[in-house]
Amino acid sequence: MVEPTIRKSSESTLPVKPYSNWQRYLDLLERHQVPERCRRWYVRHVEAFLAAFPGRRLREIGHDELGDYLAQLARNTQADWQLRQKVDAIRLLLELAGNRQAMMIDWNYWAEMGKTISQDHPTLARELPPEALLRKALQPEDLPEASRDAVIQMVRILRTHHYSIRTEAAYRDWVLRFLALTGRPPEALESRDVCAFLSHLAMERRVSQSTQRQALNALNFFFRHLLERELDLGDGFRPAKRGRRLPVVLSRDEVARLLDELEGTAQLMAGLLYGTGMRLMELIRLRVQDVDFERQLIVVRDGKGRKDRVVPLPQRYRDALRRHLEARRRQFERDRIEGPISVYLPDALARKYPNAATDWRWQYVFASGRLSHDPRSGQRRRHHIHENTLQKAIQKAAQRAAIPKRVNCHALRHSFATHLLEAGYDIRTVQELLGHADVSTTMIYTHVLNKPGLPPVVSPADF
């Protein structure tokens, strides 16, 4: 390709010389429905790519060279949308040039999995003091100082009791809403204020039973641990009973169609969700040392309820996972060449094992395509990928596969449990694999299948 001459017009980005390589590239952008206002930026991204490989034929640029360039691009690009645009521009260029090595690149990883996680993300929020999280939740004038201090103290107690960061955030937000609605100082609050708040949620906000229950649990914790008195709702109020809803379960054919619509890292992750029954965040936070190829298992650390468990490593994804870890190790080594690189460690492990944060064994299996910089410690970190990117990839794949169900990552976990029960595994085994504390939680899956050992139920319409 030669350097393009772009017309100085806001309405056109076409090169002056017709039928050139640049014209073919712009035609390709049009076929891929790239907005016209973005095409000149695609050209600029391609120019920068060509400048990095002067005198090279596009077909000859190798896989590792492309990977190194994309990694450098991710490090030097701040905005997520800019990174996606640059990656897409290069992908289309190499597609036009017929570069076969480019077919081996996981473009979805670099375009979508490169999203960085914010400092208040559940993985990192433990490192922030409660005051900082509270400032993100409300404006300074929203609550009086006494109420803000009470909420901060509640967050500290939640952390002392080792509640999960997501439970902490939910409880904090419910108490903030409660205090804002009542407008009363904490010492003046009474049980009838809670009754009025819960009734407001049910009657005016029309929240679900589970949402109302969560609000009640948060306020019960607030009264018991902050106000040091028990919450008494009285005989005149009864919280709504939690309904039982059947989970969304995919058939084996639907699972296969869904996975066929995914590729690269997204396909591997979705396959592991279905093949192991892990929750989304359990998979996202998986560390290298938790994958045991010899024993063919995966150790799930600090799952729901702060419990560890073991799940089988699916043989179908064993080789793909091994190849992914090999590529991940090369990425880790490239990071180390440029300087110290660390990873987030939970609780006090960073103090107990000072060198663990830079050890390969503690790195995330599914890491972000971009590095993060901690302004407090000065550390360079590579966090795990953002969970929303996989959620979006699965939802789009379900649409392409024409699956008429509400498909998300958790539907794969539901399908894992249901298909095991259909295959004849006992309920206790499935309970252990899912990490359920109570077998009654696992029993919900028996309502979406014909129970093993019994003849299938035939509809009267088919008699």
Side-chain angles (χ1 to χ4, degrees):
M1 277 190 175
V2 296
E3 291 291 325
T5 304
I6 305 298
R7 291 176 181 169
K8 303 297 183 180
S9 170
S10 59
E11 298 180 355
S12 176
T13 60
L14 296 177
V16 173
K17 183 179 178 181
Y19 310 116
S20 66
N21 288 332
W22 285 106
Q23 182 66 55
R24 293 172 56 211
Y25 181 70
L26 291 171
D27 290 343
L28 181 64
L29 296 184
E30 184 176 1
R31 289 198 300 273
H32 281 263
Q33 299 181 342
V34 175
E36 188 172 354
R37 67 181 184 278
C38 299
R39 292 175 195 172
R40 66 188 182 96
W41 294 106
Y42 272 64
V43 170
R44 291 188 181 185
H45 303 326
V46 167
E47 288 178 319
F49 176 76
L50 294 174
F53 300 95
R56 297 285 301 279
R57 294 174 60 86
L58 291 177
R59 291 186 180 183
E60 296 175 353
I61 301 177
H63 178 274
D64 292 341
E65 293 176 297
L66 292 174
D68 290 341
Y69 182 84
L70 292 172
Q72 183 180 10
L73 204 65
R75 286 193 294 270
N76 298 331
T77 305
Q78 296 296 324
D80 295 330
W81 67 269
Q82 286 181 328
L83 178 61
R84 288 194 294 269
Q85 188 182 82
K86 291 178 180 180
V87 169
D88 195 43
I90 297 169
R91 178 183 65 83
L92 292 175
L93 173 71
L94 296 175
E95 175 185 316
L96 182 65
N99 186 313
R100 294 188 177 184
Q101 293 294 314
M103 298 174 61
M104 305 297 294
I105 296 291
D106 189 351
W107 295 102
N108 183 68
Y109 170 79
W110 291 108
E112 298 294 338
M113 303 296 186
K115 184 177 181 181
T116 55
I117 60 178
S118 61
Q119 287 296 316
D120 58 347
H121 186 275
T123 295
L124 306 176
R126 287 288 190 196
E127 297 185 327
L128 290 178
E131 295 84 353
L133 292 173
L134 196 62
R135 284 195 297 269
K136 291 178 176 290
L138 47 71
Q139 297 297 321
E141 65 275 8
D142 287 347
L143 283 180
E145 185 176 357
S147 296
R148 293 200 301 270
D149 290 343
V151 176
I152 290 173
Q153 183 61 24
M154 184 192 72
V155 171
R156 290 198 178 104
I157 295 174
L158 284 165
R159 293 185 179 184
T160 302
H161 286 72
H162 296 287
Y163 277 69
S164 74
I165 191 65
R166 292 181 183 270
T167 301
E168 173 190 309
Y171 279 23
R172 179 197 67 212
D173 291 345
W174 279 121
V175 172
L176 287 174
R177 295 176 195 175
F178 171 67
L179 293 174
L181 185 67
T182 59
R184 304 177 65 183
E187 63 272 10
L189 293 171
E190 299 178 1
S191 295
R192 57 188 176 89
D193 296 316
V194 176
C195 293
F197 178 70
L198 295 176
S199 298
H200 163 75
L201 293 179
M203 303 300 294
E204 299 182 32
R205 300 296 301 276
R206 297 187 180 277
V207 302
S208 65
Q209 299 98 324
S210 59
T211 301
Q212 188 190 47
R213 283 275 179 179
Q214 187 186 64
L216 174 59
N217 292 338
L219 296 175
N220 189 41
F221 185 94
F222 181 73
F223 268 69
R224 178 176 299 172
H225 295 279
L226 265 295
L227 306 183
E228 296 183 344
R229 59 177 183 267
E230 292 296 325
L231 185 61
D232 182 14
L233 299 181
D235 296 333
F237 180 85
R238 288 288 183 273
K241 292 185 178 180
R242 186 173 182 177
R244 187 185 67 187
R245 295 189 177 183
L246 296 180
V248 175
V249 176
L250 305 180
S251 68
R252 288 180 174 81
D253 177 67
E254 288 171 331
V255 171
R257 285 159 47 200
L258 176 70
L259 295 176
D260 285 343
E261 292 295 335
L262 294 166
E263 58 183 16
T265 306
Q267 185 184 63
L268 173 61
M269 296 179 71
L272 289 175
L273 284 178
Y274 172 66
T276 64
M278 283 189 284
R279 299 176 179 90
L280 172 60
M281 291 311 300
E282 291 172 345
L283 175 70
I284 292 291
R285 293 172 178 162
L286 196 65
R287 311 272 181 162
V288 171
Q289 63 183 353
D290 296 329
V291 180
D292 191 335
F293 287 101
E294 295 299 323
R295 299 172 61 198
Q296 301 183 29
L297 54 84
I298 295 174
V299 181
V300 180
R301 305 284 184 184
D302 199 20
K304 193 172 184 179
R306 300 186 66 85
K307 295 180 297 184
D308 295 351
R309 71 180 190 279
V310 173
V311 295
L313 172 60
Q315 291 299 303
R316 174 173 295 184
Y317 299 104
R318 181 175 179 175
D319 292 341
L321 183 56
R322 194 185 294 276
R323 289 193 299 270
H324 172 84
L325 284 174
E326 290 172 354
R328 177 72 185 87
R329 183 63 184 262
R330 291 193 295 270
Q331 181 187 55
F332 174 69
E333 296 299 337
R334 287 196 299 265
D335 290 340
R336 294 178 64 181
I337 292 174
E338 298 186 7
I341 181 71
S342 63
V343 69
Y344 167 79
L345 294 180
D347 302 326
L349 282 175
R351 294 191 297 272
K352 188 175 182 181
Y353 305 109
N355 297 324
T358 59
D359 192 322
W360 162 243
R361 295 171 299 176
W362 283 96
Q363 304 304 307
Y364 289 116
V365 173
F366 299 105
S368 171
R370 302 166 67 181
L371 293 174
S372 300
H373 179 78
D374 190 335
R376 293 160 299 172
S377 64
Q379 290 181 329
R380 292 167 63 247
R381 287 179 171 175
R382 190 175 289 281
H383 295 301
H384 58 66
I385 68 168
H386 199 289
E387 65 273 18
N388 288 348
T389 57
L390 182 60
Q391 287 278 28
K392 291 179 182 178
I394 286 180
Q395 290 168 0
K396 291 178 180 178
Q399 293 175 357
R400 293 192 298 270
I403 300 175
K405 295 178 180 178
R406 186 173 176 270
V407 181
N408 54 26
C409 291
H410 216 64
L412 293 173
R413 175 174 162 89
H414 294 323
S415 304
F416 165 84
T418 304
H419 296 169
L420 281 181
L421 290 172
E422 287 177 343
Y425 286 90
D426 64 273
I427 193 76
R428 292 290 183 181
T429 299
V430 178
Q431 176 193 358
E432 289 294 325
L433 292 173
L434 293 175
H436 287 162
D438 193 332
V439 71
S440 62
T441 307
T442 318
M443 288 293 290
I444 189 68
Y445 298 109
T446 64
H447 297 279
V448 291
L449 51 78
N450 289 310
K451 295 179 177 59
L454 297 178
V457 176
V458 179
S459 168
D462 297 327
F463 287 171

